[in-house]
Every structure is written in C-alpha cells, then in structure tokens.
Amino acid sequence: MSAAGTRTPSRSVRDAAAGRTGRVLLAGFAAAAAADLGSLLAGWHLGHVLAKPLLMPLLVGYALTRRAPRLLVAALLFGWGGDLALLFDAEPAFLIGMGSFALGHVCYLALFGRGRTNPALGGAYALALVGTVALLWPDLPAGLRIPVAGYSLLLTAMAFRSSALGRAAGAGGALFLLSDTLIATGVAEWPQLPRPDFWIMATYLAAQYLLATGAITREQAYGREVIQD
C-alpha cells in the first residue's frame, strides 16, 4: 500500500472526529444562546452573566473544527472581548467593548478581501450611516459622540463588505449593524422596545453565527476550487 493510501484513512478518522466535536460545540453554542436569551426575557441577570461569556468561545471552537480562517477566529475573539466588557455598566467599559468590537470589524474587513459587492447596497448603507449618526448625535453623551461616529463608520463598512462572502454573511453584517444601532439608541436614551437587551443579543448572536458560517462555507468552497485546479 502506498504512503498516500495509508494516510487517507487516518485523515478521514480525524475529519469525522472533528465533525462530531464541531456538532457538539455548535449544540453548546445553541444551548448557551437559548440560556442567555431566556435569562434576558425572564429578567434573570445572573443567568445572562453566566451564559454570555460562553457564547463566542463555543462558536470559535466550532469554527476551528471546520478549519476556519484565522481572521474569522480573531474577529470572534475580539467579539468575545467586547461581550465581556459590556457586562460592566460603566462608560470606560463601554469604550473598551466598542474598541474590541472595532478590532473585530477590522478583522472581518480583511477577511472579506476585495470580493464584489453591489454599489447600490453601498449607497443604501451610506445613507443609513449618515442618517443614524445625525439623528443620534444630539442625544449622545458628549464624550461618546466622536467614538460612536467613528465606530459606526467602521461597522457600516463591515456590514456592506460582508455581502462579498454571500447572502448568509451579508445578512450577518446587516444584523450586526442593527444590533449595535439598538445599543446606540439605548445610550442616547431613545424609547426602547420591551426587553431591549433581548433584541440586542438575539440580533448579535444571529449576526456572528451567520458571519462565521458564511466565511467557513466560502473558505471551504475556495479550497475545493484550488484542489480541482
């Protein structure tokens, strides 16, 4: 038997084991998400504090079993840093969290590369950015106006460019923008939906999941194309 023949079964075994581990981690992410969102609906703060720190590490673990690109892993880990910071109700923690998420968006933008996006979609995102910042500006605390405006520009760019990886990632980028806009309206003390934290986390978790799966699917499709070439 050739050396290539002896390697194939062991690789298949490793892939099968990674697949099982990935399914367990993804189920763990779903369970932690359900626990977190349920805690927010119930107004159980301790449940949120316990569940929220588990979310991104579980999604990162799943991504690693699928051989995710390093930039995706980095983006999710910076998201985790932002999650932890926002558990603390203080302006410095808010700024630290926003900075961590901003670094995650930089990783996402690098991951998206120069793939094609719809110019009309870019125009719509630009209008949304200008309109939202203009409306929020007078109601934001003075010390947060510039940081929020800068972060909003980076976030909107990420949301627009996410469509380069396909519809799933594009939907994830849009949901990330929606989630952070809900946070900003809360900071500006605008009227909120009932249980605003629930809607913020629900859109955020869907966003990160869709961005992760969109990036993984694209990476694997690219890998297959390279092998075929």
Side-chain angles (χ1 to χ4, degrees):
M1 184 180 290
S2 68
T6 60
R7 282 198 299 269
T8 302
S10 61
R11 181 171 181 178
S12 298
V13 170
R14 289 197 301 271
D15 288 346
R20 288 192 295 270
T21 302
R23 288 191 289 273
V24 170
L25 289 167
L26 189 58
F29 171 75
D36 186 51
L37 296 175
S39 297
L40 291 172
L41 280 176
W44 185 35
H45 182 66
L46 178 59
H48 174 59
V49 170
L50 293 174
K52 188 178 183 182
L54 301 176
L55 293 163
M56 289 305 106
L58 287 167
L59 190 56
V60 166
Y62 166 72
L64 288 173
T65 66
R66 300 293 301 274
R67 297 179 186 147
R70 293 179 182 178
L71 284 168
L72 172 62
V73 173
L76 294 173
L77 288 175
F78 280 124
W80 183 45
D83 291 345
L84 296 179
L86 294 185
L87 285 173
F88 300 92
D89 188 16
E91 187 172 307
F94 179 79
L95 289 170
I96 291 170
M98 188 163 57
S100 190
F101 282 121
L103 291 171
H105 296 325
V106 171
C107 292
Y108 274 130
L109 284 168
L111 176 63
F112 301 151
R114 298 183 179 180
R116 259 182 217 178
T117 47
N118 189 330
L121 181 63
Y125 271 122
L127 288 174
L129 169 65
V130 173
T132 302
V133 172
L135 289 171
L136 287 169
W137 188 270
D139 298 323
L140 290 170
L144 291 179
R145 287 173 180 168
I146 297 298
V148 167
Y151 176 80
S152 297
L153 176 61
L154 183 59
L155 170 62
T156 304
M158 184 282 293
F160 167 52
R161 291 293 304 148
S162 64
S163 61
L165 295 190
R167 292 181 179 178
L175 285 171
F176 213 133
L177 179 61
L178 174 60
S179 179
D180 281 4
T181 301
L182 292 174
I183 294 175
T185 60
V187 173
E189 298 184 353
W190 284 13
Q192 299 289 296
L193 294 168
R195 300 293 182 192
D197 288 348
F198 169 82
W199 299 108
I200 290 167
M201 282 303 297
T203 49
Y204 167 70
L205 291 175
Q208 292 283 43
Y209 172 77
L210 287 170
L211 284 165
T213 54
I216 290 168
T217 300
R218 184 61 174 264
E219 181 78 3
Q220 291 178 339
Y222 176 76
R224 286 194 294 269
E225 290 171 3
V226 170
I227 291 171
Q228 289 171 358
D229 291 344

